[in-house]
Amino acid sequence: CSGTGGGKPFEETGIITDALSFPIKVLSGLEATYSGHVLDFGEVGTLTDADISKDQLTYTKSGWVNVRSSGPFTLRLTSQNGYRLTFPGGDVSNSAQTLRYTARLAGTASTSTGPSTTSLSCVRAGLTTRQIPLSAELNEGGSLKAASSSYSDILSITIAPDVFNAAATTQCAN
């Protein structure tokens, strides 16, 4: 700093800490991928509900949503057909044209009798990958259903960074 004016010219050096600051709020860095099985139950047209319940391990497919984040985030799982598989042109309100299943995201179950969207607020995953379990479990067989080679549903997973305090969040992993 140097000065002139009504007095003798001067020059002074020094450091003034925190004299100027620019607070910048950065949203979470977020990266996500899916790994694991295709959530496909295979041919179940000849199977009864009892067949499915006796061999539930075969009719449960699982994988992981792999997340890395520098802050808290929200996961949303949504089913286009309300956790019912149906064929192209099928009527999701007609039980003879649907197969019910349960989807689980981080252990939270979503079924055809609940809301079509499940939301979870998750703590910071960190820079190493956190695997969040995702599974689909078939609840009924197709022997009494309309014949079709293509029963399906669309599951959407939305991941978004959160700006709020992470105090009300969960680990989101088993």
Side-chain angles (χ1 to χ4, degrees):
C1 176
S2 63
T4 59
K8 198 173 175 181
F10 68 92
E11 197 167 301
E12 189 174 312
T13 61
I15 296 175
I16 302 172
T17 58
D18 296 323
L20 184 61
S21 68
F22 296 98
I24 299 171
K25 189 167 193 137
V26 178
L27 290 178
S28 175
L30 185 62
E31 176 183 87
T33 60
Y34 175 79
S35 62
H37 298 279
V38 174
L39 303 179
D40 184 348
F41 301 114
E43 175 55 52
V44 297
T46 60
L47 301 175
T48 66
D49 294 355
D51 294 330
I52 297 295
S53 63
K54 279 190 292 187
D55 194 8
Q56 200 60 68
L57 187 60
T58 299
Y59 300 104
T60 299
K61 304 301 178 184
S62 59
W64 298 269
V65 177
N66 306 301
V67 179
R68 296 187 323 163
S69 73
S70 61
F73 58 95
T74 296
L75 276 173
R76 282 186 188 82
L77 175 66
T78 304
S79 165
Q80 179 177 298
N81 297 335
Y83 305 99
R84 294 175 189 90
L85 303 171
T86 193
F87 51 88
D91 180 359
V92 295
S93 64
N94 182 341
S95 63
Q97 296 180 8
T98 62
L99 294 167
R100 292 177 299 109
Y101 70 96
T102 300
R104 293 184 199 287
L105 180 62
T108 301
S110 300
T111 67
S112 60
T113 59
S116 64
T117 299
T118 299
S119 290
L120 301 169
S121 293
C122 306
V123 297
R124 174 185 183 272
L127 298 180
T128 57
T129 300
R130 171 172 295 158
Q131 290 190 307
I132 300 170
L134 172 68
S135 67
E137 174 184 313
L138 190 60
N139 299 137
E140 56 188 351
S143 64
L144 300 176
K145 306 294 182 169
S148 175
S149 62
S150 179
Y151 273 78
S152 65
D153 187 12
I154 295 175
L155 287 177
S156 299
I157 299 173
T158 307
I159 304 173
D162 286 337
V163 202
F164 62 86
N165 183 342
T169 60
T170 62
Q171 289 294 324
C172 291
N174 285 352

